[in-house]
Amino acid sequence: QLDLVESGGDSVQPGGSLRLSCGAAKGNISSKTCIGWFRQALGKEREGVAVTYSGGLSTRYADSVKGRFTMSQDNAKNMVYLQMNSLKPEDTGMYFCAAGIDVYCYTLRRASFGSFGRGTQVTVSS
């Protein structure tokens, strides 16, 4: 069981950048098949944004963030990061990290993840 804690959320203008961090207060990130980033806008369902798997050697992104977001995993520090560039208003939402719970987690489907953290708020607005 991982106890994940997100940080780094803030309010930025469109076109700006943010780097989110996710650390495990308990447990080892490297022991999980996948670690994913999800986001949830007000009134909308939680959606997958990015996932690392194969010990952090592989990544997969939602089409909406490809080319703008980069996820990385540092097993030595027990951390994952989400670098977000060229932010858009539609990127606004609460961002969560989570651990994969089955072999399909690399697809970023919501049902394949558990141990969600409490989230960190990202607001993109002029």
Side-chain angles (χ1 to χ4, degrees):
Q1 181 78 13
L2 284 183
D3 183 7
L4 298 171
V5 180
E6 305 91 342
S7 63
D10 205 345
S11 294
V12 297
Q13 292 188 340
S17 297
L18 281 175
R19 187 195 194 207
L20 305 184
S21 300
C22 170
K26 183 173 67 174
N28 291 316
I29 284 176
S30 61
S31 69
K32 295 300 179 180
T33 303
C34 306
I35 299 292
W37 279 101
F38 287 75
R39 67 186 180 189
Q40 188 166 16
L42 201 61
K44 294 189 177 181
E45 292 189 357
R46 195 169 297 187
E47 63 173 352
V49 173
V51 58
T52 62
Y53 53 100
S54 299
L57 297 178
S58 299
T59 54
R60 185 185 184 110
Y61 299 93
D63 288 343
S64 59
V65 306
K66 278 181 183 177
R68 300 188 299 121
F69 290 12
T70 302
M71 184 174 180
S72 59
Q73 182 170 328
D74 187 334
N75 292 328
K77 294 183 178 180
N78 212 18
M79 298 283 292
V80 294
Y81 305 96
L82 186 67
Q83 178 66 43
M84 305 187 296
N85 298 328
S86 302
L87 283 162
K88 304 175 181 180
E90 51 263 43
D91 295 317
T92 294
M94 188 71 78
Y95 282 68
F96 305 86
C97 59
I101 58 175
D102 64 33
V103 297
Y104 302 107
C105 55
Y106 74 96
T107 67
L108 257 181
R109 71 173 195 169
R110 166 67 179 87
S112 294
F113 286 84
S115 300
F116 282 83
R118 293 187 176 184
T120 186
Q121 178 68 35
V122 172
T123 303
V124 185
S125 173
S126 55

